[in-house]
Amino acid sequence: VFHLLPTKRASSLRFGWVRGGVPMQQSDRCLHICLLGDPAVGQSAFLQCYKNIVGAPGCSPGKEYSKHHPPYAAASNLHNVVSTVELDDGGPCRLRLSDGVGGKFFNNTKKVALGSAHVVLVCFRSDNAESLENIRTRWLPLLWSSGCDAPWLLVALATDARERKRAVGSLDDTVSQDEAQSFAERFGAWAYVECSAFFPETVQLVIDEAVQAGSTFYRQQWQLRQDMAIEDSSKILDASMDGEAQGTAPKPVPAWTARPEEGDQKMWLMHEKLNVHDDPTILSEDQVKQGLSQLGETGMRQHAYLRCDLMGLSLTSLVALRPWVELQFLNVSRNQLRSLEPVGCLRKLLHLNASHNLLIRSQCFTAPDALETVDMSYNMIAEVGDWKVHRYLRELNLRGNFISQLGPGLKGNKELRMLDLAENHIRQITNLDNLEIRTLLLAQNRLSHLEGVSKLSRLVTLDARHNNITTLAALRAEDIPRLRKLNLTENRISQIRQMDGLADFSFLSDLALSPNPMSELPHYRAQVLHRLPRLRSLDGQQVTAEERVKTDLIYGQDVETRREIFEQLLPEETFVDRRLVTEEKIMAMEKEQFGKNGDAGPYGRAAGVPTSFGLQVAPRSRMQQCSFRKRMEMARSGSEGVADFANYAGPFLATPVDDDDLPEVLEAVAEGGVEELLLGAARLSVDGVRELTSFMRETPSRLRHVDLAGCQSVAAAGAELVKTFPFTKGCSLEAEGCGLAANTLLQLRNQTKEASDALQLVIAERRRSTDRVAEYLRQQEALEDARLEMLPRDAPPSPPPPLCHPQKWRPGIEVAAKEEFMAFLKINPSGLVQTNLPDCRWSVTDKTNVKLNIQEKEYNSLVALVDNMMHECGCHPGSDASRPLPEAFLAAFGHDEAGLRQNNLFLGFICWLGVRGPANPQLPVRMSVDEWEAAWRAMQDRFENLADQASKAHDSASAVPGVASGQLIAQLSHLARPQQGYALQPPSLFKLKKVSESKRPPPKRGKDLHEALSDGDVAIESVLGSNFGSDSVRLELRSLCGQPVLVAIQRGSIFQQQTWEHRQNLVLNVDYCIEVPAEGTTVKRMSGFCMNHSCAAPRGNAMDLTEFYLDDDNILASQALVWDHFESIFAKSRAQ
């Protein structure tokens, strides 16, 4: 394993199981580890290997490495592993690992699962570079959109496969350690680790690192604010795999019954189906017999076995249990069960343990007659379900599932005495009215209050540990008079007066509060015992008589009595109170430490003390650095137009922006097209504030509003700021709490109609650009087909469809077909014309202005040709499986798909093109081989001629390696006049300027890249183009001098394809600065816009830096505006 980020080895972790699979020691703490990543990257093998390490039930030994076979077979089931570990503090902790959280079985619960995670393992396969790219494009957006604040680890799996490739000298499609480390550092991973299931010790090290990250988050999780939650609980439950789309109507709230909701039944059937592939481990008769015990007497006065233990056998079905109808105790825990349907045959069942399986609903079996206890802990259940049919149910354990709401399914269970809902995602207590529950366990949920508990009048024990509770107002003695044990540790209770409401509980004897912010108050135990004198145990420690006496002494219970006695005995002396600790001294200490009495604040000392700019500040913690990198990448991706570096869910995640961060923040804002930047009390200097306003004033970015509320440097730049602020662009600045005058604050807020209109314009442009990009991405298949037709090669490819074919009218490539059709309409406005001649029923004029006579037989051939093309396109009018034809095609020939066989325009256009059907009607319609070869060779000659002209005109003077410009002008000339000879267009037609011919404004920071290349300071090692937008240009520079060089790549710089790849050239839309170390190399990924709408996007192609640039900031403001600029030039040129 490679710990490429600094980590501390969790050396004291110990794992273990005893016979029967029961953990060696139970624990109140549980760390939830989720696994994310592409299917089939090795997650199942990873978990099977870990199960083998800890000796979990159902594990199987791995194979030998020397055999070069996968060490573990591909598992058909998901994995839900629970083990016990011992943390560095010596305490035990349950460890729960959930596999495939991003998969189809988590469609309805994935955000709840991720929201309850303490650490996420984001996995890729080290010999598959695409799986790492999918983490950036799919899995990290899913993780961040779920509202999960837990740390994540980048995990490389199957490293043995990469090493075998390296041994034979083939590193294609592999991911190096340096590349993965850079990825982890950039995107905010807690650490980067590698492992292979062939080597269990590497898997153990990954778990060690995950436990360290998860325990760090667990200890600070109580600080998270619920009002910062990204998703409402009802929205979380209803989220689906396609739920990220914006503008869709919300789904109805589930009815919380066992009846399947619309769409749920299909998911249940898919999950609970049993076939050969999904049911590899069937329960056998021998296994049933081995598990039987506890012989008893039946109602028919016959002896029968009443108990069966089948735990830890990796079972996937229980069909063999059906004949054992007398069973009363059944334990099927720690298996791989997705359904308990055979249990419905056990009508006399009293006790069921189905914990640690893969159940997704609680009502997955027919109800036995008198079920009393049920344990379904550590499954994948999303809702409590409807239990009213179980009239005698006394104990229900649903710990460790994915429940986010409590529905009305328990209202009929009047015999219920114990309910365990710990380690779920519940935000409020509902629908437990008037139940007879004695014990309620709600630890490790998302509760912010205890409203709803007051309806449980017979409650004796309440465990609400590790939530976000801030008030105890809902606990009233008149509602819950029998409350005896209360656990509220690891919450956000800050005020000691909250204890006053507990004084009326006559039977309250055991209370646990620490840690809470309140427990940091001076002499906290004495303050609690003073208010609750009947307590026997506080925070797990017995309250001693000595402690009670000290408490009475602190609060002066007998001080007046002693004063009276003293004055009676020694009337001439002055009484002196010699107590070391008094109530007044405690109040003074509270005032000194927290600024007020009886209140430690919402976070206690964890909130820290605000630090003004210029003072020494503590470096960012590991968690803060991860959080900052996450916000940076969210800003880079756009994040709905807002970049938030001010509002965090908890103080342990908060990290103010400083001057060193500002250049990268502004770079991310420009790349993401952000309109609002929230910095809050950033640690910026006056120079930093100047740089920020200069960015808003001088760049084409869409940034229109900045929040600097609380930043002290704003006041120092007040007069200058007002003078230079870009009010005319509609920009505004929030500076509340910065020390500015009220009129200056109002002026900077710029709350005018013009400013509001400017903001709405940039928002509208962002949405328009987003729609255009989505439209372009849908055209990629058609653009790739067109590219393959034009690509230079030794021999022509297979003939393509003719221009009358619907495939040639697909969006993105329809221009040539539309232009040809317009030429046809000029000569044949009615298309195929019917005549009255005996030897000619139809006629049409062809391209050469020759009139073609169509006879009946030829007409029938045209109709068959139409049928052939429609069949090839999957268009079958009247059928549900029919695929729609392209909109441009329907606009030209009418929307009557069924009438195309008699459409005179369409039939005439076919004749115009001279298309003839294939001899075999089953073959696709294509151009004739001779016609296509002639056209292809003419096209290649045109491409070659354009490239030669452009190279002579624009590359001859360039001697710098990696810099060339001819291919750019050749491609733009082709797009401007695709059908006209060899005319090379001037760069001025496209409003491009050349560095060597026009003086480009110098950059604000660093040395311009062209100048650095010319002076021999740096050299271009490689340039790769991949897609467009963020990270589309990968530039690697090598230093040629003995000192570091700061190189500036200015926006508007253009990178071209090296040959006729018929892919996009890219123009940078952001200014970049790269520091190249002395005699070293550095890699920078940059954002680039593509320059036309009719070429496919780059796919890792080698590119050259050109000498041309685009210096119009109005064009570079968005991708849509760049397309508008070049496509309007192409359209105008083609029209001429």
Side-chain angles (χ1 to χ4, degrees):
V1 68
F2 298 91
H3 287 269
L4 298 181
L5 297 182
T7 62
K8 175 184 176 184
R9 172 78 160 85
S11 58
S12 64
L13 300 183
R14 294 196 293 274
F15 301 75
W17 299 77
V18 296
R19 285 188 299 272
V22 180
M24 63 180 180
Q25 184 177 0
Q26 294 294 334
S27 170
D28 288 336
R29 294 181 293 183
C30 179
L31 298 182
H32 184 200
I33 302 177
C34 288
L35 278 73
L36 275 181
D38 287 353
V41 296
Q43 296 179 40
S44 295
F46 173 84
L47 286 179
Q48 290 181 74
C49 181
Y50 174 63
K51 289 173 67 176
N52 190 54
I53 292 172
V54 299
C59 62
S60 57
K63 301 177 183 179
E64 294 181 6
Y65 173 78
S66 59
K67 294 184 179 179
H68 285 202
H69 291 150
Y72 297 94
S76 59
N77 282 280
L78 299 170
H79 286 271
N80 197 10
V81 182
V82 179
S83 66
T84 299
V85 300
E86 186 175 309
L87 300 180
D88 289 334
D89 61 7
C93 178
R94 278 189 299 274
L95 194 64
R96 177 188 181 192
L97 293 95
S98 296
D99 180 22
V101 173
K104 56 185 178 180
F105 295 124
F106 282 85
N107 277 0
N108 286 356
T109 58
K110 64 184 177 188
K111 294 194 175 183
V112 177
L114 291 171
S116 62
H118 298 97
V119 61
V120 181
L121 304 184
V122 186
C123 305
F124 71 99
R125 193 175 172 90
S126 59
D127 63 338
N128 183 356
E130 183 180 0
S131 63
L132 179 63
E133 177 63 17
N134 288 340
I135 289 177
R136 182 182 73 86
T137 59
R138 179 181 181 187
W139 299 116
L140 286 183
L142 169 63
L143 177 64
W144 294 340
S145 66
S146 70
C148 176
D149 290 302
W152 63 278
L153 275 68
L154 182 64
V155 183
L157 302 175
T159 53
D160 55 279
R162 184 188 63 195
E163 298 308 315
R164 284 198 294 271
K165 281 189 173 182
R166 179 178 296 174
V168 298
S170 174
L171 291 178
D172 294 340
D173 203 32
T174 61
V175 180
S176 68
Q177 299 166 20
D178 292 341
E179 183 180 357
Q181 178 188 4
S182 299
F183 185 98
E185 291 176 345
R186 173 183 169 181
F187 288 92
W190 175 272
Y192 166 56
V193 286
E194 297 186 341
C195 70
S196 168
F198 282 111
F199 305 101
E201 63 275 9
T202 64
V203 173
Q204 177 68 75
L205 288 172
V206 173
I207 296 296
D208 289 354
E209 192 67 39
V211 169
Q212 183 191 3
S215 60
T216 302
F217 179 74
Y218 179 93
R219 286 192 290 269
Q220 302 174 96
Q221 192 178 16
W222 63 271
Q223 301 176 26
L224 294 178
R225 292 165 47 193
Q226 289 304 301
D227 58 348
M228 291 293 295
I230 293 182
E231 292 284 346
D232 180 79
S233 58
S234 62
K235 295 180 182 178
I236 290 177
L237 182 75
D238 294 329
S240 66
M241 201 63 189
D242 298 323
E244 286 79 10
Q246 300 296 321
T248 56
K251 298 180 181 178
V253 178
W256 305 105
T257 67
R259 177 179 59 83
E261 293 296 318
E262 182 180 357
D264 284 351
Q265 186 175 16
K266 182 178 179 181
M267 182 189 70
W268 290 356
L269 293 175
M270 178 178 62
H271 181 79
E272 297 171 359
K273 67 181 180 179
L274 292 177
N275 53 36
V276 175
H277 178 72
D278 294 297
D279 192 16
T281 313
I282 303 172
L283 177 64
S284 66
E285 285 288 338
D286 291 339
Q287 288 174 319
V288 175
K289 292 177 181 179
Q290 291 175 11
L292 293 173
S293 63
Q294 198 168 334
L295 195 64
E297 193 175 74
T298 69
M300 302 298 293
R301 304 192 64 81
Q302 296 178 343
H303 286 87
Y305 285 105
L306 305 181
R307 183 184 183 101
C308 186
D309 291 288
L310 300 169
M311 67 175 298
L313 300 177
S314 297
L315 300 175
T316 52
S317 64
L318 301 171
V319 178
L321 274 178
R322 292 180 183 273
W324 302 89
V325 295
E326 302 294 338
L327 287 177
Q328 296 181 11
F329 301 83
L330 178 61
N331 184 354
V332 291
S333 62
R334 301 189 185 279
N335 285 291
Q336 299 287 317
L337 298 173
R338 298 184 182 185
S339 173
L340 298 176
E341 185 270 335
V343 174
C345 298
L346 311 181
R347 307 307 307 163
K348 300 179 182 179
L349 191 66
L350 299 178
H351 307 283
L352 172 64
N353 184 352
S355 60
H356 302 85
N357 279 285
L358 301 171
L359 307 176
I360 65 171
R361 59 188 180 116
S362 55
Q363 270 64 57
C364 55
F365 61 99
T366 305
D369 297 329
L371 197 62
E372 294 183 3
T373 66
V374 176
D375 186 351
M376 289 187 173
S377 59
Y378 298 107
N379 278 280
M380 297 157 45
I381 297 171
E383 61 180 70
V384 173
D386 191 348
W387 292 87
K388 64 177 179 289
V389 68
H390 302 280
R391 295 176 298 168
Y392 306 104
L393 187 67
R394 292 187 294 107
E395 297 182 5
L396 178 61
N397 187 348
L398 294 174
R399 174 186 292 260
N401 282 284
F402 303 126
I403 300 170
S404 60
Q405 287 186 0
L406 297 181
L410 293 172
K411 285 190 172 182
N413 298 95
K414 299 302 181 181
E415 299 296 324
L416 190 63
R417 297 295 182 266
M418 193 281 291
L419 179 60
D420 189 348
L421 293 169
E423 300 170 26
N424 279 284
H425 208 270
I426 300 168
R427 295 179 181 272
Q428 56 184 346
I429 304 168
T430 57
N431 294 307
L432 297 181
D433 304 359
N434 303 318
L435 294 181
E436 301 291 322
I437 294 175
R438 269 53 166 188
T439 301
L440 180 60
L441 307 180
L442 293 167
Q444 288 192 227
N445 276 283
R446 294 293 182 270
L447 299 174
S448 58
H449 56 78
L450 292 173
E451 297 292 338
V453 175
S454 58
K455 302 296 181 65
L456 302 174
S457 59
R458 296 184 179 272
L459 190 65
V460 175
T461 301
L462 175 61
D463 184 0
R465 175 186 52 82
H466 201 81
N467 281 279
N468 296 92
I469 298 170
T470 58
T471 177
L472 304 181
L475 295 181
R476 295 180 293 271
E478 59 268 24
D479 298 327
I480 322 172
R482 302 184 181 185
L483 187 64
R484 187 171 300 170
K485 297 182 179 181
L486 180 60
N487 188 348
L488 295 170
T489 59
E490 300 172 13
N491 280 284
R492 292 177 53 207
I493 303 170
S494 61
Q495 299 173 340
I496 194 66
R497 63 183 175 86
Q498 296 284 346
M499 299 298 100
D500 296 338
L502 301 180
D504 296 332
F505 286 89
S506 303
F507 300 100
L508 183 61
S509 59
D510 294 348
L511 177 63
L513 291 170
S514 179
N516 263 291
M518 181 187 67
S519 62
E520 298 180 7
L521 292 173
H523 298 279
Y524 140 79
R525 284 182 66 88
Q527 294 197 56
V528 173
L529 292 176
H530 171 65
R531 289 166 172 80
L532 305 175
R534 287 188 288 267
L535 285 183
R536 296 180 181 179
S537 173
L538 177 60
D539 297 332
Q541 297 181 11
Q542 196 73 18
V543 178
T544 63
E546 180 183 1
E547 199 170 15
R548 295 185 190 277
V549 171
K550 289 183 177 180
T551 300
D552 292 342
L553 184 63
I554 290 174
Y555 284 89
Q557 298 292 338
D558 62 343
V559 73
E560 291 302 324
T561 303
R562 289 192 291 115
R563 182 190 300 274
E564 292 176 4
I565 296 173
F566 182 88
E567 290 177 350
Q568 290 176 4
L569 297 176
L570 300 170
E572 298 179 356
E573 301 290 337
T574 302
F575 177 79
V576 178
D577 188 354
R578 299 186 182 278
R579 291 177 297 167
L580 298 178
V581 180
T582 64
E583 184 176 7
E584 291 74 15
K585 290 183 178 179
I586 290 176
M587 295 175 65
M589 294 171 65
E590 290 174 345
K591 194 76 173 177
E592 179 183 356
Q593 295 179 24
F594 300 102
K596 47 191 170 182
N597 290 324
D599 190 348
Y603 305 107
R605 295 190 181 93
V609 180
T611 306
S612 301
F613 177 81
L615 300 181
Q616 185 66 30
V617 295
R620 287 177 181 144
S621 68
R622 197 167 176 181
M623 195 75 71
Q624 288 173 330
Q625 180 63 19
C626 294
S627 176
F628 177 74
R629 296 308 313 173
K630 168 185 171 181
R631 294 295 177 97
M632 188 73 74
E633 293 307 316
M634 291 177 70
R636 203 180 299 274
S637 65
S639 190
E640 292 302 311
V642 179
D644 191 351
F645 291 90
N647 303 302
Y648 292 86
F652 71 100
L653 298 172
T655 170
V657 172
D658 57 28
D659 281 5
D660 293 336
D661 302 321
L662 191 59
E664 188 178 5
V665 169
L666 296 180
E667 178 184 299
V669 165
E671 285 191 14
V674 170
E675 292 111 27
E676 298 183 47
L677 174 61
L678 309 182
L679 296 176
R683 295 195 294 260
L684 296 180
S685 66
V686 176
D687 289 339
V689 176
R690 291 193 186 107
E691 182 178 354
L692 181 57
T693 54
S694 174
F695 175 84
M696 299 176 70
R697 185 175 59 250
E698 299 175 3
T699 66
S701 73
R702 293 199 288 263
L703 185 61
R704 292 298 181 270
H705 175 72
V706 176
D707 186 341
L708 281 173
C711 178
Q712 301 304 311
S713 296
V714 174
E720 178 187 353
L721 183 61
V722 172
K723 184 178 180 180
T724 60
F725 197 75
F727 294 106
T728 56
K729 290 180 65 175
C731 296
S732 60
L733 178 71
E734 177 56 60
E736 183 72 30
C738 297
L740 294 176
N743 60 339
T744 305
L745 283 177
L746 289 175
Q747 186 177 0
L748 289 173
R749 286 171 182 163
N750 199 15
Q751 295 176 340
T752 62
K753 184 179 184 302
E754 292 76 11
S756 177
D757 292 344
L759 179 59
Q760 292 305 315
L761 283 175
V762 296
I763 293 175
E765 177 57 31
R766 172 170 58 83
R767 292 173 178 169
R768 184 180 80 95
S769 188
T770 300
D771 293 341
R772 290 285 303 276
V773 168
E775 176 190 6
Y776 174 69
L777 292 176
R778 289 192 295 268
Q779 300 172 3
Q780 290 306 298
E781 181 182 359
L783 295 176
E784 288 288 345
D785 290 345
R787 171 184 170 272
L788 292 176
E789 293 176 10
M790 297 184 290
L791 199 64
R793 60 187 78 190
D794 294 337
S798 300
L803 292 180
C804 60
H805 200 292
Q807 288 188 5
K808 285 294 187 177
W809 292 77
R810 288 177 292 173
I813 62 172
E814 77 280 12
V815 173
K818 290 170 70 174
E819 290 180 347
E820 189 68 27
F821 181 64
M822 296 304 296
F824 163 75
L825 286 179
K826 287 181 179 180
I827 300 178
N828 300 278
S830 301
L832 199 64
V833 179
Q834 192 168 7
T835 66
N836 295 321
L837 300 177
D839 59 340
C840 172
R841 295 192 57 186
W842 293 273
S843 66
V844 68
T845 304
D846 67 5
K847 290 183 181 183
T848 60
N849 208 24
V850 175
K851 187 174 182 180
L852 300 177
N853 296 321
I854 309 298
Q855 298 182 358
E856 185 75 25
K857 183 178 180 181
E858 294 172 323
Y859 183 86
N860 293 335
S861 298
L862 291 175
V863 172
L865 202 62
V866 172
D867 292 339
N868 195 344
M869 287 188 284
M870 296 302 104
H871 179 77
E872 186 180 352
C873 293
C875 178
H876 308 288
S879 171
D880 294 337
S882 177
R883 295 177 60 182
L885 294 174
E887 282 297 324
F889 182 87
L890 296 176
F893 302 108
H895 288 74
D896 183 11
E897 296 179 354
L900 284 174
R901 303 172 83 249
Q902 290 83 35
N903 189 305
N904 289 334
L905 282 177
F906 188 40
L907 297 177
F909 189 47
I910 296 174
C911 296
W912 165 273
L913 295 172
V915 179
R916 298 292 181 267
N920 185 350
Q922 301 300 322
L923 295 177
V925 179
R926 295 293 181 266
M927 294 178 63
S928 68
V929 175
D930 294 339
E931 180 185 3
W932 165 242
E933 288 189 357
W936 185 83
R937 295 190 186 283
M939 181 170 54
Q940 298 304 316
D941 290 341
R942 187 162 63 249
F943 291 157
E944 186 176 351
N945 190 284
L946 283 173
D948 289 343
Q949 292 183 62
S951 179
K952 292 177 182 178
H954 303 290
D955 291 340
S956 57
S958 176
V960 179
V963 178
S965 306
Q967 185 61 38
L968 170 68
I969 303 302
Q971 185 174 13
L972 293 178
S973 299
H974 162 67
L975 294 172
R977 302 255 178 122
Q979 304 298 331
Q980 296 190 15
Y982 309 102
L984 188 69
Q985 304 300 315
S988 58
L989 175 67
F990 312 106
K991 296 187 178 180
L992 301 182
K993 296 181 180 180
K994 200 169 185 179
V995 174
S996 59
E997 297 175 359
S998 59
K999 187 175 182 181
R1000 192 175 192 183
K1004 287 189 174 182
R1005 297 173 58 230
K1007 193 174 187 178
D1008 184 79
L1009 176 59
H1010 288 91
E1011 184 181 353
L1013 291 170
S1014 300
D1015 294 346
D1017 295 333
V1018 296
I1020 296 177
E1021 285 287 288
S1022 65
V1023 181
L1024 297 178
S1026 301
N1027 213 323
F1028 63 101
S1030 180
D1031 290 355
S1032 56
V1033 179
R1034 181 187 182 276
L1035 173 64
E1036 183 176 2
L1037 296 178
R1038 176 169 51 88
S1039 173
L1040 299 178
C1041 58
Q1043 58 186 4
V1045 182
L1046 188 63
V1047 178
I1049 304 100
Q1050 300 187 66
R1051 63 178 179 273
S1053 300
I1054 298 175
F1055 293 85
Q1056 69 167 18
Q1057 297 288 338
Q1058 293 181 344
T1059 60
W1060 283 103
E1061 290 289 334
H1062 297 284
R1063 294 193 182 277
Q1064 295 283 1
N1065 303 304
L1066 298 173
V1067 54
L1068 299 187
N1069 61 304
V1070 179
D1071 288 323
Y1072 293 95
C1073 269
I1074 309 176
E1075 184 172 352
V1076 185
E1079 300 180 354
T1081 62
T1082 189
V1083 174
K1084 180 65 176 179
R1085 295 182 181 273
M1086 301 177 290
S1087 174
F1089 290 152
C1090 49
M1091 299 174 63
N1092 65 78
H1093 210 273
S1094 53
C1095 289
R1099 291 189 177 180
N1101 304 96
M1103 304 186 79
D1104 288 326
L1105 172 69
T1106 72
E1107 291 189 280
F1108 291 104
Y1109 65 94
L1110 186 64
D1111 67 347
D1112 191 334
D1113 286 347
N1114 293 324
I1115 297 174
L1116 294 172
S1118 75
Q1119 174 64 82
L1121 291 172
V1122 173
W1123 276 331
D1124 292 345
H1125 168 71
F1126 285 101
E1127 291 297 334
S1128 64
I1129 293 174
F1130 299 153
K1132 183 177 180 181
S1133 180
R1134 286 193 293 264
Q1136 291 174 350

